[in-house]
């Protein structure tokens, strides 16, 4: 077994180390989510924590780590008699992002259960992690069905395995620790809220500190055991301090003044629910115990807020997590000391003008005068390709969009957009299992076994089941798609201040893609060429950031934009052939530059139709005189055209929900 890197040898990352240590002192804090760029010692610090945790007393021979002082009465290995136990080191169990459901919750032998009535159960990772740490590296890439199981276990403190009326339950209380790189996508809000604390980590920009990081890493790689031995004394001191803080924890006093500060802070930052208040209280108590105190001070409440609230404050999914520290200090100061009529609301608090958290690009409420103004000569399109570039226009307020989906049934990654054959969803049929049986179709299994019972010499009440009789349920659910945006950023789009509305529409579609677990890509075209502003990624907020800084101006090389998008799809099909694409072209349909630009755009569009790629054209044309070019482009693509107003979910305009239906009437504008 490889010697882990010592926890105390990690350079810097004070917030990360503190958050992990607070969870070691008080597991009730609820775990920690570590966000940051790659190569910042996230995984190293988490793996090093397990060596500092006190030993755990368990019932000898119990696969579910029952506490000998209070064994689980429903333990599958029980019943256990209370009594002496054996100590073992605390476990840190890693959950791979590609793990199967059976690996996480355990596997039940369905064949023996049906034929013999025996609950033959092989525990999974949740059982291994009970009373220890469950660590998920790249937790934001975890499949939705595994996230659902984690949420259930975290909420109930137990894991349930249900298979066709046969069930097994065991305790599953663990410290959930996750690491993630925000560039690869965000977490579902439900799972995000289950993490007690969150910290942001980044590599130091100080040369001396970076030198020390490299020096220690090289020394560890050369001689792990010798390096660990040099840090053994510091490790032992931290281990003893954790034990002392755990003993002190029950005696720490959380006074009414600190509780009022906690409640006022959570209210001021408009966090949802009451979990934030509870986590802050537990964190502040753990901070006091870690400092060797029996009273919670204002500084403990402040530090608890910085760790427990950034990922919980009410915000747009594309906003970076964070906390306004000036507002935090003002709130704590107002509610410091004895009760001073605390029932009176803060006139400058939430709902007042005191800045309820950062809201970048909150939309141009009076946005007409902040949108990009058309340059001279932009009313039409006949500009030289070197026309002056305009500043990036702010996006209009996003809105809820109508549902768009890819026709047919796919087999891509789990998501919430298009129909697909998945492991979860409604049962649509049965088939012979390929590999391990995961979802038994009971009726089909009985039907397959029934004709052979006499030949198999059945004499008892149970069916005589053979492996060949088992049938796997086929299910239909939803998949995530690749939504590739092809955005016209030319001068004609900037005219009449349309770009703010266009960006608002694309931002709305990005929000929809975020909620439906899609990958997104962004291709823009203007001037003389097209560019891939964002290669396909799961980080929808990265696409929103690129969109916000998108400048406009110049000619409209529509054909170049479509050809670049077609190339992006070709490469992505090689990387991820199971993920189907939906192309969203945002344009007024005009094409300029080169010879026969409209004809070139038509030929490029027909490449998508020939490949059967689902497509939607968002028609941005405005004004009393309309040329209908976007509708013609949709016809060439084999897709549909929808106006900006028709894109809204609450619009009375009839946007067909499934692209398949619209493909029968190509080019029809909603």
């Amino acid at each position: 077994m490889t010697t882990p890197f010592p926890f105390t040898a990690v350079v810097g990352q004070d917030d990360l180390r503190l958050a992990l240590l607070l969870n070691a002192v008080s597991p009730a804090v609820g775990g920690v989510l570590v966000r940051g760029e790659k190569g910042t010692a996230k995984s190293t610090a988490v793996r090093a924590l397990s060596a500092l945790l006190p030993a755990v007393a368990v019932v000898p021979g119990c696969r579910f780590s029952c506490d000998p002082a209070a064994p689980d009465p429903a333990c599958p290995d029980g019943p256990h008699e209370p009594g002496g136990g054996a100590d073992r080191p605390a476990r840190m169990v890693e959950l791979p992002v590609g793990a199967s459901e059976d690996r996480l919750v355990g596997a039940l032998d369905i064949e023996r259960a049906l034929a013999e009535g025996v609950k033959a159960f092989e525990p999974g990772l949740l059982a291994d992690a009970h009373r220890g740490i469950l660590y998920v590296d790249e937790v934001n890439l975890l499949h939705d069905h595994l996230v659902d199981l984690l949420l259930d276990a975290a909420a109930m403190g137990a894991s349930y395995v249900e298979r066709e009326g046969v069930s097994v339950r065991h305790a599953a209380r663990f410290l959930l620790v996750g690491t993630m790189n925000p560039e690869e996508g965000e977490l579902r809000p439900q799972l995000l809220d289950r993490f007690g604390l969150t910290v942001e980590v980044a590599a130091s920009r100080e040369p001396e500190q970076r030198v020390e990081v490299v020096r220690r890493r090289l020394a560890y790689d050369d001689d792990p055991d010798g390096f660990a031995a040099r840090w053994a004394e510091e490790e032992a001191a931290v281990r003893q301090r954790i034990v002392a803080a755990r003993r002190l924890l029950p005696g720490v006093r959380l006074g009414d003044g600190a509780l009022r500060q906690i409640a006022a802070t959570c209210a001021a930052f408009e966090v949802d629910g009451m979990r934030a208040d509870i986590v802050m209280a537990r964190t502040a108590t753990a901070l006091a115990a870690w400092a060797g105190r029996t009273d919670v001070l204002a500084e403990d409440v402040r530090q608890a807020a910085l760790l427990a609230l950034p990922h919980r404050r009410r915000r747009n999914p594309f906003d970076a997590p964070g906390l306004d520290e000036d507002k935090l200090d003002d709130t704590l100061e107002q509610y410091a000391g004895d009760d001073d009529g605390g029932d009176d609301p803060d006139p400058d608090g939430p709902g007042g003008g005191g800045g309820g958290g950062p809201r970048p690009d909150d939309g141009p409420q009076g946005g007409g005068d902040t949108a990009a103004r058309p340059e001279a000569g932009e009313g039409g399109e006949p500009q030289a390709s070197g026309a002056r570039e305009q500043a990036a226009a702010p996006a209009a307020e996003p809105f809820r969009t109508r549902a768009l989906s890819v026709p047919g049934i796919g087999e891509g990654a789990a998501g919430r957009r298009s129909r697909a054959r998945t492991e979860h969803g409604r049962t649509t049929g049965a088939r012979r299992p390929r590999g391990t049986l995961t979802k038994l179709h009971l009726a089909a299994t009985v039907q397959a076994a029934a004709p052979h019972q006499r030949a198999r010499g059945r004499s008892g009440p149970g069916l005589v089941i053979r492996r060949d009789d088992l049938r796997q349920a086929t299910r239909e659910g939803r998949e995530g798609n690749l939504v590739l945006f092809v955005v016209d950023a030319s001068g004609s789009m900037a005219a009449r201040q349309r770009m703010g509305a266009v960006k608002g529409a694309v931002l709305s579609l990005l929000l929809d893609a975020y909620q439906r677990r899609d990958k997104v890509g962004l291709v823009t075209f203007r001037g003389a060429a097209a560019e891939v502003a964002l290669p396909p990624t799961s980080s929808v907020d990265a696409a929103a950031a690129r969109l916000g800084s998108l400048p406009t101006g110049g000619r409209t090389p529509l054909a170049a934009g479509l050809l670049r998008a077609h190339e992006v799809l070709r490469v992505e099909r090689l990387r991820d052939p199971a993920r189907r694409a939906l192309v969203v072209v945002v344009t007024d349909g005009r094409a300029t530059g080169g010879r026969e630009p409209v004809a070139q755009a038509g030929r490029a569009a027909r490449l998508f139709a020939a490949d059967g790629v689902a497509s939607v054209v968002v028609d941005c044309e405005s004004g009393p005189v309309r040329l209908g070019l976007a509708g013609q482009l949709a016809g060439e693509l084999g897709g549909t055209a929808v106006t900006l107003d028709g894109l809204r979910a609450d619009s009375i305009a009839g946007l067909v929900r499934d692209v398949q239906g619209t493909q029968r009437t190509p080019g029809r504008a909603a």
Side-chain angles (χ1 to χ4, degrees):
M1 181 176 176
T2 304
T3 302
F5 192 91
F7 185 86
T8 52
V10 175
V11 179
Q13 309 298 10
D14 295 337
D15 288 343
L16 169 58
R17 292 190 293 166
L18 178 61
L20 292 172
L21 289 169
L22 292 177
N23 277 276
V25 171
S26 176
V29 167
V32 59
L33 174 66
V34 187
R35 296 165 46 97
E37 58 197 25
K38 52 189 175 291
T40 49
K42 300 189 298 293
S43 300
T44 299
V46 173
R47 292 189 175 102
L49 176 67
S50 60
L52 299 178
L53 297 180
V56 178
V58 298
V59 173
C62 178
R63 297 174 297 167
F64 301 89
S65 301
C66 280
D67 186 349
D72 181 6
C75 176
D77 284 355
H80 303 300
E81 293 295 331
D87 288 347
R88 65 157 174 79
R91 288 176 182 162
M92 191 193 72
V93 177
E94 294 196 41
L95 171 60
V97 294
S100 66
E101 180 179 335
D102 285 348
R103 185 70 188 98
L104 179 61
V105 301
L108 191 65
D109 192 329
I110 299 296
E111 188 173 352
R112 290 188 64 191
L114 288 176
E116 306 172 29
V118 176
K119 292 183 180 179
F121 181 70
E122 182 66 28
L125 296 176
L126 290 180
D128 293 342
H130 178 48
R131 304 178 67 202
I133 301 173
L134 181 63
Y135 171 51
V136 190
D137 194 13
E138 305 294 350
V139 64
N140 51 325
L141 304 182
L142 201 63
H143 290 301
D144 274 358
H145 68 283
L146 297 182
V147 171
D148 294 337
L149 294 170
L150 274 183
L151 289 172
D152 289 343
M156 297 184 293
S159 175
Y160 291 84
V161 182
E162 303 279 351
R163 294 285 171 83
E164 304 297 342
V166 181
S167 64
V168 172
R169 173 211 168 275
H170 65 82
R173 293 183 297 275
F174 47 83
L175 186 63
L176 183 60
V177 179
T179 57
M180 61 174 283
N181 184 346
E183 294 178 357
E184 296 173 338
E186 288 290 346
L187 276 179
R188 281 172 52 181
Q190 298 92 332
L191 182 57
L192 187 63
D193 190 51
R194 281 292 169 186
F195 287 98
L197 311 179
T198 185
V199 292
E200 297 278 336
V201 296
S204 172
R205 299 299 184 258
E206 294 294 330
E208 289 303 319
Q209 194 172 75
R210 295 175 74 98
V211 166
E212 186 61 25
V213 170
V214 174
R215 182 182 291 119
R216 293 186 186 183
R217 187 70 213 190
L218 293 177
Y220 170 77
D221 290 341
D222 290 341
D223 183 9
D225 293 334
F227 184 81
R230 291 196 293 274
W231 290 88
E233 186 175 341
E234 288 84 350
E235 293 281 287
V238 173
R239 194 178 298 112
Q240 291 171 6
R241 187 175 175 185
I242 291 173
V243 172
R246 282 191 173 189
R247 290 174 181 163
L248 184 62
L249 187 66
V252 175
R253 176 181 173 274
L254 183 65
D256 289 344
L259 278 173
R260 278 194 296 274
Q261 285 184 317
I262 290 171
T265 300
C266 292
F269 286 97
E270 302 180 23
V271 296
D272 295 327
M274 295 297 298
R275 183 172 286 121
D277 303 62
I278 296 170
V279 171
M280 271 191 67
R282 289 172 174 165
T283 305
T285 303
L287 280 162
W290 179 248
R293 290 186 270 100
T294 55
D295 285 300
V296 173
L297 305 180
E299 63 193 61
D300 300 322
V301 176
R302 187 182 192 279
Q303 184 64 57
L306 293 174
L307 293 172
L309 295 189
H311 61 303
R312 287 190 170 90
R313 68 180 181 82
R314 186 175 299 164
R315 62 187 181 93
N316 185 295
F318 298 145
D319 293 345
L323 222 57
D324 184 342
E325 295 194 31
D326 290 336
K327 181 177 180 179
L328 173 61
D329 291 335
D330 291 344
T331 304
L332 293 176
E333 183 178 353
Q334 179 183 355
Y335 287 88
D338 296 331
D339 186 6
D340 188 19
D343 291 335
D344 294 330
D346 176 9
D348 295 323
R359 298 171 184 258
D361 281 337
D362 219 16
Q365 238 81 0
D369 55 351
T370 61
R373 295 179 174 81
E375 300 286 348
E378 285 285 4
E381 180 83 17
Q383 275 197 346
S385 59
R388 183 166 50 178
E389 182 180 285
Q390 299 182 31
E397 190 72 22
F399 52 84
R400 188 166 63 91
T401 64
R402 301 292 291 268
L404 299 172
S405 61
V406 176
I409 300 179
E411 295 182 344
R416 301 188 184 94
R417 182 172 296 278
S418 304
R419 295 171 58 196
R421 284 181 283 271
T422 63
E423 288 294 320
H424 299 268
R426 63 185 181 89
T427 301
T428 58
R431 60 171 173 80
R432 291 181 182 273
R434 296 190 289 266
T436 303
L437 177 72
T438 56
K439 296 291 183 181
L440 179 76
H441 195 296
L442 183 58
T445 299
V446 172
Q447 186 176 10
H452 308 291
Q453 295 305 295
R454 181 174 297 178
R456 293 173 182 173
R458 173 187 170 187
S459 57
L463 286 175
V464 180
I465 302 291
R466 299 286 185 264
R467 179 69 187 175
D468 289 344
D469 300 328
L470 300 178
R471 294 294 182 269
Q472 173 86 24
T474 57
R475 297 172 180 255
E476 183 178 308
R478 293 279 169 177
E479 67 176 2
N481 298 119
L482 166 60
V483 181
L484 182 61
F485 294 93
V486 186
V487 179
D488 184 348
S490 65
S492 68
M493 295 290 288
R496 294 181 293 276
Q497 301 181 357
R498 277 182 289 165
M499 203 59 195
V502 169
K503 286 186 177 182
V506 178
L507 183 63
S508 304
L509 290 166
L510 284 171
L511 280 164
D512 183 66
Y514 168 82
Q515 294 163 353
R516 297 182 188 276
R517 310 293 286 177
D518 294 318
K519 290 180 70 174
V520 296
L522 179 62
V523 174
T524 64
F525 57 94
R526 65 187 181 90
E531 66 172 347
V532 180
L534 184 72
T537 175
S538 297
S539 181
V540 179
D541 54 344
R546 300 292 173 87
L547 177 71
S549 60
L550 179 66
T552 58
R555 294 188 182 275
T556 312
L558 177 57
L562 294 173
L563 290 174
R564 181 60 64 91
H566 189 267
E567 176 63 16
V568 170
L569 291 184
R570 184 190 69 80
V571 173
E572 194 64 20
R573 273 195 295 268
L574 297 176
R575 293 174 176 167
D576 191 358
R579 188 180 291 269
R580 298 185 295 162
L582 173 64
V583 175
V584 179
V585 185
V586 184
T587 181
D588 57 7
R590 298 187 184 189
T592 61
R595 298 182 57 184
E596 300 181 334
V598 176
Q600 290 180 24
R603 286 193 291 271
R606 286 191 288 274
L607 294 175
F608 292 87
D611 291 343
V613 177
S615 58
V616 175
V617 177
V618 180
D619 185 358
C620 302
E621 191 173 30
S622 62
V625 179
R626 304 196 180 202
L627 303 179
L629 297 175
Q632 296 177 27
L633 177 64
E636 300 281 7
L637 287 165
T640 184
V642 54
T643 63
L644 286 173
D645 288 338
L647 193 61
R648 295 177 178 270
D650 55 357
S651 172
I652 60 173
L655 175 64
V656 179
R657 290 181 176 273
D658 196 313
V659 179
Q660 184 177 22
T662 64
Q663 286 182 326
R664 291 194 289 268
T665 56
R668 182 173 64 85

